[in-house]
Amino acid sequence: MSRKLISTGSTTEVTAGYSRAVVQGDWCFIAGTTGYDYSTMKIPTNIEDQCANCFNTIDKTLQEAGFERADIVRANYIVTDQKFVDIVFPLLGQYFDGIRPAATMIIADLIKPEIKFEIEVTALKRS
């Protein structure tokens, strides 16, 4: 069974020793993805735009890996403040419309103060 590593080109991936995604067989494991625009390494100040960037990065990663958004079976969300929960819930509902993966939301600090949201997903190719 082959293993494929996928990168966004972020220097953090090299420095911290991880891949944006690892594809192993019919599985795709996408690392915690924040709201950075990886082409500019800039992050928006509002959580809505950070979520949009997360979703865009995940969609691009899934496509490169040969998967579709509908293949996502598990999602873990992290927000840095409980006040963000009511903002991101409808955005997640739109992004995962019809997919509804098993999911967990955690409220915790993230690695940089400007990061307000992070999402990690696992996908399994549908038969």
Side-chain angles (χ1 to χ4, degrees):
M1 191 178 305
S2 66
R3 177 179 168 141
K4 179 180 179 182
L5 305 179
I6 297 174
S7 173
T8 59
S10 166
T11 57
T12 306
E13 293 170 19
V14 175
T15 303
Y18 73 96
S19 296
R20 171 63 42 217
V22 175
V23 178
Q24 184 78 41
D26 289 339
W27 291 92
C28 181
F29 303 91
I30 298 181
T33 303
T34 61
Y36 280 95
D37 174 340
Y38 289 102
S39 64
T40 64
M41 284 312 293
K42 293 186 179 179
I43 191 165
T45 57
N46 70 64
I47 194 160
E48 296 89 346
D49 290 340
Q50 287 191 24
C51 284
N53 283 353
C54 289
F55 300 151
N56 185 43
T57 299
I58 289 168
D59 284 344
K60 285 179 181 177
T61 303
L62 286 166
Q63 182 178 15
E64 184 176 342
F67 288 73
E68 298 176 9
R69 186 185 305 171
D71 294 325
I72 296 173
V73 295
R74 181 80 174 120
N76 292 308
Y77 318 120
I78 303 168
V79 293
T80 56
D81 194 308
Q82 189 170 1
K83 69 183 177 190
F84 296 138
V85 172
D86 289 337
I87 297 170
V88 300
F89 269 0
L91 301 174
L92 293 165
Q94 290 172 354
Y95 182 73
F96 288 115
D97 184 38
I99 301 166
R100 299 184 57 195
T104 300
M105 180 169 282
I106 299 167
I107 300 167
D109 288 335
L110 291 167
I111 62 171
K112 293 188 178 182
E114 62 269 22
I115 302 171
K116 298 175 179 156
F117 179 74
E118 185 168 341
I119 180 172
E120 170 190 60
V121 300
T122 303
L124 174 63
K125 275 199 180 162
R126 294 167 290 148
S127 304

